[in-house]
Amino acid sequence: GLLALREGPLLEAALRALPRRPDVVIANATGRDHPRGAGLALHVGAELDLPSVGVTDRPLLATGAESLFIEETEVARRVRTQPGARALVVHPGWRTELDTAVDLVLAACRGRRTPEALRRARSAARSLRAEQGG
């Protein structure tokens, strides 16, 4: 229900602890495809005043084939980053237009299905879980 309230402060603290402020945040989260119109990607970007983009495997509320809508507003887009791979859902977040978000995600994928930053974060999380026995 309230992912931004649960995980937002941790994500914000991690981003603030970086030695260099990022140019943009790519989060495994939604933007405006959310029951309250603002998912974690949008919240974190707004809190840090950084452009942000959300990337998910499927839409939360939005419907459509390639362009995903809530009512008549396009809130996300399905993007196939590799031939034959399952499409990602790209959500513009804070101070990011949809076309820019799509371009950024495609550039960040570097020939893979998901953006490099998300792959590295998932790998680090798996390693930590394994070290902690869980």
Side-chain angles (χ1 to χ4, degrees):
L2 299 172
L3 182 67
L5 294 177
R6 284 193 325 267
E7 296 189 18
L10 295 171
L11 184 54
E12 177 188 351
L15 289 165
R16 288 190 190 279
L18 292 173
R20 190 174 72 92
R21 182 176 165 90
D23 295 325
V24 66
V25 174
I26 299 176
N28 183 17
T30 65
R32 298 197 185 282
D33 179 19
H34 186 274
R36 292 174 181 85
L40 178 61
L42 198 142
H43 275 276
V44 168
E47 187 65 34
L48 297 170
D49 195 27
L50 281 171
S52 61
V53 174
V55 178
T56 61
D57 286 326
R58 59 189 155 283
L60 192 58
L61 299 174
T63 57
E66 181 179 324
S67 295
L68 298 164
F69 295 86
I70 293 179
E71 295 179 6
E72 294 182 18
T73 303
E74 186 179 19
V75 295
R77 193 171 295 152
R78 290 184 206 276
V79 177
R80 194 168 308 279
T81 58
Q82 297 182 309
R86 194 174 69 234
L88 297 174
V89 178
V90 176
H91 309 257
W94 184 251
R95 293 184 11 207
T96 308
E97 299 293 324
L98 184 53
D99 288 336
T100 303
V102 168
D103 291 345
L104 180 69
V105 167
L106 288 171
C109 284
R110 299 182 182 167
R112 298 284 199 53
R113 180 177 176 264
T114 59
E116 179 72 21
L118 294 181
R119 279 196 318 279
R120 286 185 183 189
R122 287 177 184 139
S123 177
R126 280 191 295 272
S127 294
L128 283 172
R129 269 195 306 270
E131 284 176 18
Q132 296 174 353

